[in-house]
Amino acid sequence: MQSLHGVILAAGLLAAAAQAQDYQREGVKDGLPVYEKALKARLTFPMAWTQDVADLPAWRAAGRAKVWDLTLQPRDSTPFAPQVIAEQDRGSYVARQVVFNLNADNRVRALLLMPKAAGPHPAALMLHDHGARFDIGKEKMIAPWADPAREAASQAWADKHFSGRHPGDALAKRGYVVLAVDALGWGDRGPMTGETQQALAANMFNLGSSMAGAMAAEDVRAAAFLASLPEVDARRVAAIGFSMGAFRAWQVAALSDDIKAVVAASWMATTEGLMVPGNNQLRGSSAFQMLHPGLLRHLDFPDVASLAAPKPALFFTGAQDKLFPLASAEQAFGKMRRVWQAWDAGGRFEARVLPGGHAFPADAQDAAFDWLARQLPAAR
């Protein structure tokens, strides 16, 4: 029978061994690895602009090349081969359903608004949000027709986020050509749900691609298609988006020479400000559309947006937007403003704080459209 002394000695040895091993008992907390601070500390964004950058065009070219590389997408020059399949008269402009080759793998149906007046016209690529609603995509920005279910869903979305109107139609009334295309998984390019989105994201990675990369490359192609239309003044093409669409807008402005100005409402902050417990960025789901594997080892979100400089850029954020904390958004804006100033284009960058939350209300839309008219004036 073991002596009391032996029992005490064995217990002491076990305690000492456990202390020496120093086991990590917890690995995940709040959707993050418990060593997330160490990971964040390694994100130094070495390709971000600094005052030491002497050659701005070279810096921009290197940053753009890195982002393109991390999209995991091939370059594509497939002929667009557009075809108008339906049309509706809307007074001063015409709404069209147009089918075209978005790339070699996808022929899509888009919504196109065309002024009746003689062109060429200024134009806008309208980029829809995520919103965890997949039955409509392009219809979030432009009113559909001949489809009662989508008409109802589209109006409900406009009522919730856009003061009851469709931003694309409001801009078309001002004489703009407007194009909206479904991102993969939305509208005609579904069906997708929150659950199947996770599977699609994983399977895209397994296929050597990514949802974010595919979306980025498709938006660049959509911009090229819009700029190629004979009715469009290619010197006056803007990208406009809300929420995920805002991310898409500044991203395509950074990657595409066809985009000459950008309006981005309700998507901008720093990684440090977004990767905090409780933020939407930690939940997966919509984050996959903004997740380029490895990108944050090189550039933060405002750094990527800054690749659009010195193009005119207008950003909105809501003072009570729970998805994009105001302090983080303003930090990002400050970083971006310094890049535009380095280009001697400080007057082309503007960031405005709206009094509400995550929305793009009519007064902000009107302010943005007025701003666009000043930034992209008609040639005399």
Side-chain angles (χ1 to χ4, degrees):
M1 186 172 182
Q2 190 176 14
S3 67
L4 178 61
H5 175 73
V7 171
I8 294 173
L9 179 62
L13 290 172
L14 286 171
Q19 185 175 7
Q21 297 262 2
D22 190 22
Y23 288 113
Q24 180 175 297
R25 297 186 179 183
E26 184 180 52
V28 179
K29 185 179 180 181
D30 298 319
L32 288 163
V34 294
Y35 52 92
E36 53 97 6
K37 290 184 179 178
L39 293 177
K40 282 183 179 178
R42 296 170 196 161
L43 299 179
T44 59
F45 311 119
M47 296 188 72
W49 175 87
T50 68
Q51 292 182 341
D52 296 328
V53 172
D55 189 335
L56 283 165
W59 166 80
R60 180 179 58 192
R64 179 185 283 190
K66 175 57 68 176
V67 176
W68 263 114
D69 182 51
L70 294 173
T71 67
L72 308 177
Q73 305 303 305
R75 298 283 184 164
D76 195 298
S77 57
T78 303
F80 297 115
Q83 178 185 4
V84 176
I85 61 172
E87 190 170 279
Q88 184 187 56
D89 191 316
R90 293 187 178 175
S92 63
Y93 63 100
V94 174
R96 293 172 178 166
Q97 295 180 19
V98 59
V99 177
F100 72 100
N101 294 326
L102 188 57
N103 52 41
D105 302 313
N106 293 278
R107 187 166 174 82
V108 301
R109 180 170 64 126
L111 293 177
L112 179 68
L113 305 181
M114 187 68 65
K116 292 180 180 178
H121 307 284
L125 177 63
M126 283 282 182
L127 298 153
H128 69 76
D129 59 85
H130 188 290
R133 178 151 198 171
F134 304 103
D135 57 329
I136 52 174
K138 58 188 178 296
E139 297 86 3
K140 293 177 178 181
M141 306 304 282
I142 294 175
W145 72 99
D147 188 332
R150 283 188 176 173
E151 289 175 46
S154 174
Q155 188 57 54
W157 204 253
D159 292 341
K160 182 177 181 179
H161 296 291
F162 306 133
S163 302
R165 71 181 189 182
H166 295 82
D169 287 87
L171 191 55
K173 291 177 181 177
R174 293 182 175 229
Y176 282 70
V177 175
V178 181
L179 175 70
V181 184
D182 291 320
L184 181 63
W186 275 266
D188 295 329
R189 302 184 69 199
M192 186 164 70
T193 65
E195 182 177 355
T196 60
Q197 178 179 235
Q198 310 283 0
L200 179 60
N203 289 324
M204 291 286 279
F205 285 140
N206 284 331
L207 292 167
S209 185
S210 76
M211 292 180 74
M215 189 170 70
E218 289 182 356
D219 289 344
V220 168
R221 281 280 293 176
F225 170 66
L226 179 59
S228 75
L229 296 176
E231 300 91 345
V232 167
D233 182 349
R235 299 165 298 177
R236 295 192 291 158
V237 178
I240 302 174
F242 162 69
S243 193
M244 181 185 79
F247 177 100
R248 298 168 67 190
W250 55 253
Q251 179 175 251
V252 73
L255 294 177
S256 171
D257 291 331
D258 291 311
I259 297 299
K260 309 302 184 185
V262 58
V263 174
S266 299
W267 208 117
M268 180 48 68
T270 64
T271 296
E272 180 67 28
L274 292 176
M275 299 294 286
V276 295
N279 188 274
N280 194 59
Q281 195 77 358
L282 303 188
R283 297 177 184 173
S285 62
S286 63
F288 285 114
Q289 272 73 31
M290 282 69 75
L291 197 162
H292 297 289
L295 176 61
L296 295 176
R297 292 185 179 182
H298 307 279
L299 295 159
D300 200 356
F301 298 120
D303 303 325
V304 177
S306 295
L307 298 174
K311 299 173 184 178
L314 174 60
F315 284 76
F316 293 98
T317 196
Q320 284 81 47
D321 192 332
K322 296 179 181 179
L323 300 182
F324 298 93
L326 181 59
S328 182
E330 291 186 324
Q331 184 180 1
F333 294 150
K335 192 174 188 181
M336 295 161 64
R337 185 176 289 107
R338 289 189 287 274
V339 180
W340 264 260
Q341 290 170 345
W343 282 95
D344 292 325
R348 294 183 181 180
F349 178 86
E350 190 170 345
R352 303 184 188 182
V353 178
L354 302 177
H358 198 68
F360 190 25
D363 57 349
Q365 294 172 43
D366 288 337
F369 301 160
D370 290 343
W371 175 89
L372 264 184
R374 295 192 299 270
Q375 298 297 329
L376 300 177
R380 294 181 179 178

